[in-house]
Amino acid sequence: MLDINNLTAKIGDKEILRGVNLTVPDGEIHAIMGPNGAGKSTLSYVLSGREGYEVTGGSATYNGQDLLAMEPEQRAAAGVFLAFQYPVELPGVGNANFIRTALNSIRRARGEAELDAVAFLKLARAAIKNLSMPDDMLKRNVNVGFSGGEKKRNEVLQMALLNPGLAILDETDSGLDIDALKIVADGVNALRSPTFSALVITHYQRLLDHIVPDYVHVLAAGRIVRSGGPELALELEAHGYAGLEAA
Amino acid sequence: MTALPTRKLEAWRYTELKSLAAISFAEPKPAKISAPLPDLGLPRIVFVNGSFNAALSNAPDFVGPFAKVLDDSALPLVQINAANAQDGITIDIPAGIDAGAIMLISYANAAEPIAFHPRHRIVLGTNATLTIIEVALGQGVYWHNPVTDITLQEGATLGHYRLQDESAEAFHLATIRADIAEKAAYESFSLVVGGKLSRAEFHTNLNGPNASTHLNAAQLLRGRQHADFTSVVGHKAPNCASRQTVKSVLFDHARGVFQGRIEVAQIAQKTDGYQMNQALLLSPHAEIDIKPELEIFADDVKCSHGATIGALDPEQIFYLRSRGIPEDQARAMLIRAFLTEALEPVTHEAARTFLEDAIETWWARK
Amino acid sequence: MAAVTETLETVDALAAQKYKYGFETNIAMDEFPKGLNENIVKLISAKKNEPEWLLAWRLKAYALWRSMEEPDWARIKHPPIDYENLYYYAAPSGPEPKSLDEVDPELIKMYDKLGIPLNERAALAGVDSPNVAVDAVFDSVSVATTFRETLSKAGVIFCPISEAVREHPDLVKEYLGSVVSIGDNYFSALNSAVFSDGSFVYIPKGVRCPMELSTYFRINARNTGQFERTLIIAAEGASVSYLEGCTAPMRDENQLHAAVVELVALDDAKIKYSTVQNWYPGDAEGKGGIYNFVTKRGNCKGKNSKISWTQVETGSAITWKYPSCILKGDNSVGEFYSVALTHNYQQADTGTKMIHIGKNTTSTIISKGISAGHSNNTYRGLVKILPGASGARNFTQCDSLLIGDQCGAHTVPYIESRNMSAKVEHEATTSKIAEDQLFYCRSRGLSEEDAVGLIVNGFCKDVLKELPMEFAVEAQKLLAVSLEGSVG
């Protein structure tokens, strides 16, 4: 269970998060919507431990562990996965090597046995097949020369293989055509289980047609200003975010 | 003896030899081997303190003894080598022969400062091929000043992979000169992890149409190590290609130098010349100096050079860490990836594994 | 006395040739005897009624120059320069004109012919004349400075440097030689000893200069070196755009031009310095032309200051110049945009130095070299990041274009970094005009020369767009004219 309590954070001198309260129980998918500049990406980066964001107050725990006190790799080992809005290119780093190193680092941190190359490839090929992705995805350098859609699919592939307890999808739908959107959604839906939860951050409602959330929250000016069921997303789609920021 | 070059010479503006000049060197003496020498199960030629060691070597037939040659080179270090050379090898591969791979090892064990100036000559006949894995290593204070002259006749291919892993107190100043005929290829990669002060200086001439060369290198330096990679590639015939990818990874107070010049003669139309120098500065005290030169007298050419200097990209490190990879391992992965392009010409599998292991060993040494 | 004897017909005939600024002006001149010694230095100083400190400064420079050797590291070749066979001072005779009305009408005519309006009314009335204040330097002296009143209302000082020495001695004393020290190099030492005139600009705190300022340099007299000195100071928050143009008559002998330009930008100040250099390049056989050995340097002394150099170099037999920036103030910005075109037997060795000292300093270098005929064109540049320059950034792009197989294009960049948080990126390419580009243009009806002109202008676009508009148009024409006869 993710538990965020009165979380405040700033970048430089600029206060971005002004007291976020949010609880995501296991097995649930919550969507966070909101206008540009509301702090959506900041929330995802603060939860995953990116440098440059200063937490000024509040707390964020995952299964009772203090996320904010952990290094990014420790958060990953604890089961938190961030699907990046802009996945980073790693020239010279093979995708298979990258994902296997990540998986084994996490397994090692959890005291599990590492996978050898053969066992990993078997697992990876199966995941690729499940997600209807091309085989060469593993051979290429991480995100180098990938189209926007391919990069997002690669995020979903990593998510499938690292098998997180909590996935944070940061505007994963931006720049995706409808086919790619479905692949991403299928990837998330395939992970749905009583022990998996997700925070889906999006500007638009359309992703939520495919990943139906249990709850929708509206983030505006660094606070959650409204919460509701999936119907809230439709309402926002119809009326926009105007008027919410003042709330 | 010819005086050592000073920084007043443009070719030496970034490398100061005063610390070398301050040492008085004794004649090398025979020495014990106190470290295991690399063995890849290939024919091996071993020099100890600059002298050929028959007991440790199993040289194939095409390797002949040192032959003193006249040298009117204007390069000061080559002059010094010519005046002092005592030993070296001569390799002569007849036309059409694929001579496989050999190892050429220089081991030094200096109880007092010694200097040695080996002189190697390598000739590959028409369409002959050879791979040389050259390793320099040792202990103590010494000056290794080898000169290697390479002649590749039409269609010949030489893979020349060098590991410079000299003692931390050693001076390694190597000069490699290669004359490359039509359709011949000189494929080289140098990995620099050792030495206190080192330089590899290449003078490569592409003399016949469709000749090609790779002059790649990786400098991995720590402490106060100084490594200089200097090259002059002469395009003297049409349709030749040269590729240089040099990468520097610099920790502590280390200093890397790249000076490369591509010279394109008027006749050398359709030249394809490329230089890429990239440096990672991983400490506030590290320094990199780069001088990539183009000198072009033909109009229908494609020549370019690029250089980038910076630290590891924090975005990339965060991406790796967010996937669960610890920071130190993330850095190692990124550094290895950074080096990949430079290793491209190393097509010989055993050589590649050997060099990749050397990179791992270097990383583990810290 | 320089006896200029060409008739008007000759002038017209010359002007009709490709170098249209190659005429001489018939005007009575004062010259000092040939050669250089302490006495000449003293004479120049006396002629200008200079204070004691400046004479001492000049003599120190002279002594230094005598002890130095001409630099030989640039990729240029020329017969030895006989410094004893030059005139170091030449000026129209008679008393200095007090106002434009007193300027010799021959001179006004000459500048009109060059397209430089010294007559303010005409400049203002002309529909397409730019609103530009001009300082006109003829051989060794400034002959006229326009729009001085308009400028002085804004508090801007724009005058000949010899006048500034008299009227604003404190400013001159503080900044002269502060960016380019007298012993910086051989030619700066020579210039410091014998400089005769040039422009002085001071933009006071917070002032945005109300109009473009420009200096127009003209070498006219024979065997005369031109050694002008320009000093531009932009105080806190000030900004100015400054243009420089140069021409000279066509002559068989080579003439020396060794100028020094110093720029100082204090906190938040901006200086944009644009040059269109069109000194006489020599004839198609390489005879004659100007030796242009110039030291230009700007000091971004204050935080958030910015100095931007833009140059279009088409003239001179030899160009040796490296307009540079010392990025001392935190967050300061240096820029160098250059087009250097060489044709026939011209030689250019030009580039820049960007010295990053302050934190978060950034520099951009865009250099476009075009070589044609038998010419040699070299880019030489230094990017240096000092240990204190955390967060420094440099981007360099140098491209060379070769037209014909008798010319040379060379790139010699030096990159030195000693700060791990600095980021340096450098790219260089060499190429020729592609056959298919030429064919495409010609199939649309362009002549081969027009097609080359068009492609070359496209190649230079990133630099030309940095020029003030009226200069950009002029520069484009100049590039096309300079390439005449380079194809086919």
Side-chain angles (χ1 to χ4, degrees):
Chain A
M1 178 165 85
L2 173 69
D3 199 0
I4 302 172
N5 209 327
N6 203 21
L7 184 65
T8 56
K10 59 182 188 177
I11 307 174
D13 292 333
K14 209 172 158 207
E15 201 169 16
I16 310 284
L17 300 182
R18 297 154 180 261
V20 175
N21 289 297
L22 179 67
T23 302
V24 184
D26 287 349
E28 289 187 5
I29 290 182
H30 289 218
I32 294 201
M33 301 184 71
N36 289 328
K40 302 193 297 294
S41 285
T42 298
L43 179 62
S44 69
Y45 284 135
V46 166
L47 292 177
S48 53
R50 182 169 151 144
E51 273 176 44
Y53 298 84
E54 194 192 335
V55 176
T56 49
S59 66
T61 60
Y62 177 62
N63 293 340
Q65 301 176 73
D66 179 5
L67 275 184
L68 303 178
M70 296 158 84
E71 296 296 327
E73 58 268 30
Q74 293 171 325
R75 302 183 200 206
V80 178
F81 180 92
L82 171 66
F84 283 54
Q85 186 179 0
Y86 304 106
V88 178
E89 297 185 8
L90 303 175
V93 179
N95 211 15
N97 177 33
F98 164 63
I99 303 175
R100 184 162 80 93
T101 308
L103 182 59
N104 280 336
S105 299
I106 290 172
R107 291 176 74 100
R108 203 164 47 233
R110 291 177 182 166
E112 295 168 16
E114 294 183 27
L115 290 184
D116 64 21
V118 178
F120 171 75
L121 270 183
K122 223 170 125 186
L123 201 70
R125 291 220 178 94
I128 278 189
K129 210 172 154 194
N130 273 342
L131 295 164
S132 332
M133 291 181 191
D135 279 346
D136 70 345
M137 200 91 176
L138 285 173
K139 289 184 194 144
R140 295 162 70 181
N141 284 342
V142 181
N143 296 329
V144 178
F146 282 33
S147 69
E150 284 175 325
K151 284 183 179 170
K152 297 294 168 71
R153 285 187 209 191
N154 197 22
E155 295 292 287
V156 171
L157 173 64
Q158 291 170 38
M159 184 170 70
L161 285 164
L162 299 180
N163 195 19
L166 169 70
I168 303 164
L169 282 77
D170 184 10
E171 307 224 8
T172 300
D173 51 334
S174 67
L176 287 193
D177 61 29
I178 190 71
D179 292 335
L181 197 69
K182 274 187 184 148
I183 288 174
V184 168
D186 289 349
V188 176
N189 292 329
L191 287 172
R192 279 198 177 211
S193 81
T195 54
F196 173 79
S197 56
L199 204 54
V200 180
I201 293 171
T202 181
H203 189 75
Y204 302 104
Q205 189 268 336
R206 64 172 191 164
L207 179 65
L208 305 181
D209 287 343
H210 303 278
I211 306 175
V212 181
D214 298 293
Y215 289 94
V216 173
H217 309 278
V218 179
L219 188 69
R223 280 193 195 97
I224 299 221
V225 292
R226 266 187 83 181
S227 296
E231 70 287 350
L232 179 56
L234 293 169
E235 189 191 322
L236 290 168
E237 186 76 2
H239 303 296
Y241 294 108
L244 285 171
E245 281 160 74
Chain B
M1 187 160 118
T2 312
L4 286 169
T6 68
R7 290 187 52 211
K8 280 186 189 143
L9 284 175
E10 179 65 22
W12 288 87
R13 71 181 282 135
Y14 292 122
T15 295
E16 172 68 78
L17 294 182
K18 274 185 188 155
S19 56
L20 174 64
I23 299 171
S24 57
F25 291 101
E27 283 289 309
K29 295 183 189 76
K32 271 197 209 139
I33 313 288
S34 57
L37 298 182
D39 187 354
L40 302 181
L42 298 169
R44 206 166 72 158
I45 302 150
V46 178
F47 284 76
V48 176
N49 285 358
S51 297
F52 178 68
N53 185 313
L56 292 167
S57 305
N58 55 339
D61 294 343
F62 55 75
V63 176
F66 166 67
K68 189 129 187 149
V69 283
L70 286 175
D71 198 320
D72 57 358
S73 170
L75 301 169
L77 289 170
V78 174
Q79 285 173 19
I80 292 170
N81 174 284
N84 296 284
Q86 305 278 354
D87 212 340
I89 51 161
T90 305
I91 289 179
D92 214 324
I93 311 288
I97 300 293
D98 179 351
I102 59 165
M103 286 196 93
L104 175 59
I105 297 172
S106 164
Y107 172 80
N109 190 350
E112 57 181 333
I114 54 168
F116 45 97
H117 309 262
R119 169 73 65 134
H120 307 302
R121 272 177 53 78
I122 298 159
V123 180
L124 268 60
T126 306
N127 295 324
T129 58
L130 176 69
T131 296
I132 299 178
I133 302 159
E134 191 177 339
V135 184
L137 70 171
Q139 283 130 21
V141 179
Y142 56 92
W143 172 21
H144 186 189
N145 182 37
V147 172
T148 307
D149 285 323
I150 295 163
T151 304
L152 303 182
Q153 288 165 1
E154 221 177 293
T157 301
L158 176 66
H160 189 190
Y161 312 128
R162 306 169 64 250
L163 169 63
Q164 191 271 86
D165 189 14
E166 305 273 27
S167 117
E169 300 156 288
F171 298 83
H172 175 103
L173 304 171
T175 308
I176 295 102
R177 296 182 292 189
D179 276 303
I180 305 163
E182 186 170 349
K183 292 185 184 137
Y186 175 60
E187 297 287 291
S188 90
F189 169 75
S190 303
L191 176 63
V192 178
V193 295
K196 173 186 181 179
L197 188 160
S198 70
R199 166 146 154 155
E201 181 169 338
F202 288 83
H203 293 263
T204 309
N205 289 316
L206 299 160
N207 296 324
N210 300 301
S212 66
T213 186
H214 262 108
L215 296 179
N216 285 14
Q219 304 172 328
L220 312 181
L221 307 176
R222 290 200 184 93
R224 291 189 178 270
Q225 282 181 293
H226 174 114
D228 175 334
F229 183 95
T230 293
S231 67
V232 180
V233 179
H235 281 261
K236 300 187 170 177
N239 291 303
C240 294
S242 66
R243 291 265 172 284
Q244 297 181 68
T245 302
V246 175
K247 307 260 182 168
S248 306
V249 177
L250 306 169
F251 284 94
D252 306 332
H253 286 80
R255 186 169 174 205
V257 175
F258 171 86
Q259 308 184 95
R261 186 159 75 239
I262 299 178
E263 297 175 350
V264 180
Q266 197 185 333
I267 186 179
Q269 296 292 358
K270 307 277 179 198
T271 283
D272 183 356
Y274 170 81
Q275 286 174 325
M276 175 54 83
N277 323 112
Q278 293 180 307
L280 286 178
L281 295 188
L282 300 172
S283 134
H285 307 292
E287 176 174 352
I288 180 79
D289 299 303
I290 290 178
K291 184 188 174 199
E293 261 182 276
L294 300 174
E295 189 181 295
I296 294 167
F297 289 101
D299 60 339
D300 192 4
V301 301
K302 213 172 74 191
C303 282
S304 62
H305 60 69
T308 61
I309 303 172
L312 285 172
D313 182 353
E315 292 278 321
Q316 294 183 339
I317 294 175
F318 174 65
Y319 191 62
L320 289 162
R321 292 179 72 190
S322 77
R323 295 295 175 260
I325 299 170
E327 186 167 2
D328 191 58
Q329 200 180 348
R331 286 172 175 276
M333 273 180 95
L334 291 174
I335 288 169
R336 229 167 310 152
F338 172 76
L339 298 173
T340 308
E341 193 192 345
L343 277 150
E344 203 178 275
V346 188
T347 47
H348 190 277
E349 212 166 308
R352 186 159 182 133
T353 308
F354 175 67
L355 291 165
E356 281 172 353
D357 288 350
I359 293 171
E360 294 304 314
T361 308
W362 174 80
W363 182 257
R365 260 184 217 168
K366 71 178 157 65
Chain C
M1 294 292 259
V4 180
T5 53
E6 268 94 347
T7 61
L8 262 181
E9 283 85 356
T10 324
V11 170
D12 286 346
L14 284 170
Q17 290 181 27
K18 276 168 198 155
Y19 187 75
K20 64 174 180 169
Y21 310 104
F23 57 87
E24 288 184 40
T25 304
N26 190 351
I27 195 160
M29 296 291 285
D30 284 340
E31 278 169 354
F32 290 168
K34 266 186 185 175
L36 185 52
N37 50 51
E38 280 200 3
N39 274 335
I40 293 285
V41 176
K42 285 176 184 161
L43 269 172
I44 293 171
S45 188
K47 182 95 189 170
K48 304 265 166 200
N49 292 321
E50 283 177 359
E52 198 56 38
W53 69 266
L54 191 51
L55 174 62
W57 194 80
R58 285 177 181 275
L59 289 171
K60 192 173 150 200
Y62 172 75
L64 212 54
W65 177 70
R66 277 288 172 205
S67 74
M68 293 169 90
E69 276 177 35
E70 220 181 86
D72 59 357
W73 41 260
R75 178 182 273 282
I76 54 173
K77 279 187 209 139
H78 57 82
I81 298 169
D82 184 357
Y83 291 92
E84 304 308 324
N85 193 32
L86 284 181
Y87 292 104
Y88 288 85
Y89 186 84
S93 39
E96 267 185 54
K98 294 275 175 298
S99 73
L100 278 177
D101 302 335
E102 290 177 28
V103 175
D104 189 323
E106 276 296 313
L107 275 176
I108 303 252
K109 258 204 298 207
M110 178 204 81
Y111 281 98
D112 272 347
K113 200 163 166 184
L114 292 168
I116 311 297
L118 292 188
N119 183 323
E120 289 180 15
R121 222 170 353 160
L124 287 171
V127 179
D128 53 1
S129 294
N131 193 3
V132 176
V134 179
D135 184 20
V137 177
F138 185 78
D139 291 330
S140 302
V141 293
S142 170
V143 291
T145 309
T146 63
F147 291 105
R148 294 174 64 164
E149 263 179 53
T150 320
L151 290 169
S152 73
K153 268 182 208 149
V156 172
I157 304 169
F158 179 41
C159 66
I161 198 158
S162 49
E163 184 184 318
V165 170
R166 293 193 301 268
E167 307 290 329
H168 312 283
D170 293 344
L171 283 173
V172 175
K173 211 169 166 176
E174 183 177 352
Y175 290 108
L176 186 72
S178 73
V179 187
V180 179
S181 66
I182 53 178
D184 184 81
N185 67 72
Y186 186 80
F187 298 109
S188 74
L190 177 61
N191 174 285
S192 302
V194 303
F195 81 87
S196 41
D197 224 330
S199 304
F200 176 82
V201 176
Y202 181 80
I203 317 287
K205 200 167 168 174
V207 171
R208 214 190 131 102
C209 189
M211 61 196 347
E212 307 257 4
L213 304 183
S214 91
T215 302
Y216 194 86
F217 295 104
R218 173 77 179 168
I219 296 178
N220 190 64
R222 272 177 194 282
N223 288 322
T224 301
Q226 181 160 345
F227 305 96
E228 87 272 359
R229 184 105 196 174
T230 298
L231 177 56
I232 300 177
I233 302 143
E236 290 82 353
S239 70
V240 61
S241 167
Y242 186 89
L243 321 171
E244 176 197 74
C246 336
T247 59
M250 296 162 67
R251 296 187 200 286
D252 285 349
E253 80 267 22
N254 298 108
Q255 282 182 283
L256 178 63
H257 172 250
V260 171
V261 175
E262 296 178 278
L263 313 181
V264 180
L266 303 183
D267 288 359
D268 305 301
K270 286 189 177 63
I271 302 175
K272 182 175 174 65
Y273 193 107
S274 313
T275 303
V276 173
Q277 186 265 105
N278 187 27
W279 295 116
Y280 177 54
D283 67 11
E285 270 70 55
K287 202 165 187 194
I290 300 289
Y291 290 170
N292 189 34
F293 298 153
V294 171
T295 305
K296 291 182 169 176
R297 196 173 302 151
N299 185 2
C300 282
K301 204 173 174 187
K303 60 176 165 46
N304 308 316
S305 57
K306 177 175 174 181
I307 289 179
S308 178
W309 298 99
T310 306
Q311 61 173 21
V312 175
E313 303 280 316
T314 58
S316 296
I318 303 179
T319 296
W320 179 102
K321 74 182 260 206
Y322 315 91
S324 301
C325 297
I326 300 166
L327 301 168
K328 203 179 264 172
D330 290 350
N331 309 314
S332 60
V333 177
E335 294 175 340
F336 175 72
Y337 298 98
S338 169
V339 169
L341 183 150
T342 53
H343 189 198
N344 296 323
Y345 287 86
Q346 281 177 277
Q347 307 173 66
D349 193 302
T350 184
T352 184
K353 289 191 223 178
M354 293 289 174
I355 314 292
H356 291 255
I357 301 171
K359 290 187 181 56
N360 300 315
T361 46
T362 56
S363 63
T364 305
I365 300 172
I366 309 283
S367 163
K368 306 281 178 176
I370 301 127
S371 320
H374 292 80
S375 70
N376 270 296
N377 197 323
T378 303
Y379 167 82
R380 187 183 303 277
L382 169 68
V383 173
K384 187 170 188 143
I385 314 280
L386 289 158
S390 297
R393 292 280 177 275
N394 163 264
F395 175 75
T396 300
Q397 172 82 50
C398 330
D399 298 318
S400 305
L401 191 68
L402 291 118
I403 302 173
D405 62 358
Q406 305 292 311
C407 52
H410 318 296
T411 315
V412 193
Y414 297 78
I415 307 162
E416 304 174 4
S417 179
R418 296 172 65 189
N419 188 298
M420 68 182 289
S421 65
K423 210 165 165 177
V424 180
E425 277 179 88
H426 171 102
E427 288 171 29
T429 65
T430 300
S431 56
K432 69 166 198 167
I433 295 179
E435 293 297 333
D436 56 349
Q437 290 176 320
L438 270 184
F439 175 71
Y440 187 74
C441 294
R442 294 173 74 187
S443 72
R444 296 290 177 269
L446 275 79
S447 72
E448 190 168 4
E449 270 187 359
D450 287 348
V452 169
L454 191 77
I455 293 165
V456 166
N457 270 306
F459 175 73
C460 299
K461 204 179 109 203
D462 288 346
V463 173
L464 297 178
K465 73 176 169 45
E466 296 296 325
L467 285 171
M469 203 182 10
E470 59 277 0
F471 248 41
V473 174
E474 187 65 22
Q476 277 189 28
K477 281 191 221 148
L478 202 53
L479 288 175
V481 169
S482 304
L483 278 171
E484 270 174 25
S486 67
V487 288

